[in-house]
Amino acid sequence: MIVNKPLVLTYLYLLIYILLSSGVILYNKWVLSPKYFDFPFPITLTMIHMGFSGAVAFFLIRVFKVVSPVKMTLEIYITCVVPISAFFAASLWFGNTAYLYISVAFIQMLKALMPVATFIMAVMCGTDKARCDVFLNMLLVSVGVVISSYGEIHFNVVGTLYQVTGIFAEALRLVLTQVLLQKKGLTLNPITSLYYIAPCSFVFLCAPWYVLEKPGMEVSQIQFNFWIFFSNALCALALNFSIFLVIGRTGAVTIRVAGVLKDWILIALSTIIFPESTITGLNIIGYAIALCGVVMYNYLKVKDVRASQVPENISDRIAKDWKLEKSSDTFTPNNSSDNNGGGGGGNISSSDMNVDEEAPLIPSSRLSHFGRTQLSK
């Protein structure tokens, strides 16, 4: 029996991504929940992640020279990195705070709103156009989320507002990543993105931490277990790198299917690990409706990307034919452009990938054309 090693490796990377993504979410919930580890300081936890990731990226770039830093000017840093880092910090802050109030299962259901938020922000920023078919999909997703919320037994307004605000902050961050970084012609891989964005996000989190969490930490009995926080930050960092491996070997459809599969696995696991998070029939019906909208939306986006590539290929072929007619030499096709699938994912452009707040800073240009669409710190 012949084993297709590249295919096996691809599925292994997908499995690692699903396990790490689910693990980070469940780990964060366990650390923050008053019923378990009882560390109710989400901003502090986020700052630990950002500080650890920034330090690792610094050593990989400056000490071990694994990758080279990009040509970053002060003007690009202020106009691009700073606003992107601000919204990245906000999405992590609000997303992690939601764990204090609502269940992991309900959070995953609310995350179905991610395509809606991204589409709205893209239209507002002028990177996408309002379309009737996409609008109907967004309406279907929204109706599904409303039904799911209505069926939530432990519905909490504060937690829901935190999660939805985090989703919109992440959507704006993704659109700004495309609008700002792509205009400057910058491409960042996960290491360089962490190197530039993580420290800046850490600084942005200092102000809300000082006002909201520092006073509480001074008067409360805090459990600080070094190995708990170290392993938690290590998992978050590993998730970023696993996404880099996955998007280098798969296409948009595979990534989105993996994201949907991960959400269902996470919802099921959360009810086992955290018995207090009960799922009702109305929850499932609402989420299934929202998921139908997400699947249809993803199909439209993949279809748009493929359609946009057709004129390019035709024009390239015309250009080659024209050169052939003008030259007496025998035309030899360039096969290098035909072999860029599979494992070719050297640089990752700042356009799109679906990972949520547990997640990656930089997505892949092989996905949607206006920023990350729904796949899921």
Side-chain angles (χ1 to χ4, degrees), residues 19-163:
L19 291 176
L20 283 173
S21 182
S22 303
V24 169
I25 293 173
L26 295 171
Y27 205 167
N28 285 351
K29 174 67 175 179
W30 182 81
V31 170
L32 294 169
S33 177
K35 294 184 178 181
Y36 298 95
F37 188 71
D38 192 18
F39 185 80
F41 301 105
I43 303 176
T44 304
L45 184 66
T46 306
M47 291 176 71
I48 291 172
H49 289 175
M50 292 295 96
F52 180 77
S53 298
V56 171
F58 176 83
F59 278 100
L60 290 175
I61 290 176
R62 294 297 182 183
V63 179
F64 299 107
K65 311 289 185 182
V66 174
V67 295
S68 301
V70 300
K71 294 181 180 179
M72 181 70 66
T73 64
L74 181 62
E75 185 263 338
I76 293 177
Y77 191 85
I78 293 175
T79 59
C80 298
V81 174
V82 170
I84 290 170
S85 300
F87 285 104
F88 185 63
S91 69
L92 299 179
W93 166 19
F94 292 126
N96 278 337
T97 304
Y99 289 125
L100 297 176
Y101 302 95
I102 54 181
S103 67
V104 171
F106 186 48
I107 285 175
Q108 293 307 116
M109 294 175 189
L110 289 175
K111 284 178 183 177
L113 286 172
M114 191 65 199
V116 180
T118 309
F119 177 69
I120 292 172
M121 292 302 174
V123 172
M124 290 175 60
C125 294
T127 60
D128 202 4
K129 296 179 181 179
R131 293 164 43 184
C132 185
D133 54 351
V134 176
F135 175 77
L136 291 175
N137 284 342
M138 300 301 98
L139 187 62
L140 185 63
V141 171
S142 301
V143 168
V145 171
V146 169
I147 294 173
S148 182
S149 301
Y150 185 77
E152 176 66 15
I153 293 178
H154 306 293
F155 181 81
N156 183 286
V157 176
V158 175
T160 302
L161 287 176
Y162 267 118
Q163 182 60 38

Side-chain angles (χ1 to χ4, degrees), residues 285-338:
I285 292 172
Y287 184 60
I289 293 172
L291 198 59
C292 288
V294 171
V295 171
M296 292 168 63
Y297 170 77
N298 287 339
Y299 170 76
L300 287 175
K301 290 291 118 182
V302 172
K303 188 178 177 181
D304 288 346
V305 171
R306 289 176 177 173
S308 67
Q309 291 172 349
V310 172
E312 232 175 69
N313 295 336
I314 292 175
S315 63
D316 288 345
R317 178 57 59 189
I318 291 173
K320 289 178 180 178
D321 291 344
W322 180 82
K323 288 179 182 179
L324 178 60
E325 290 176 2
K326 299 291 287 183
S327 171
S328 59
D329 295 333
T330 303
F331 173 69
T332 305
N334 182 5
N335 293 327
S336 62
S337 62
D338 300 327

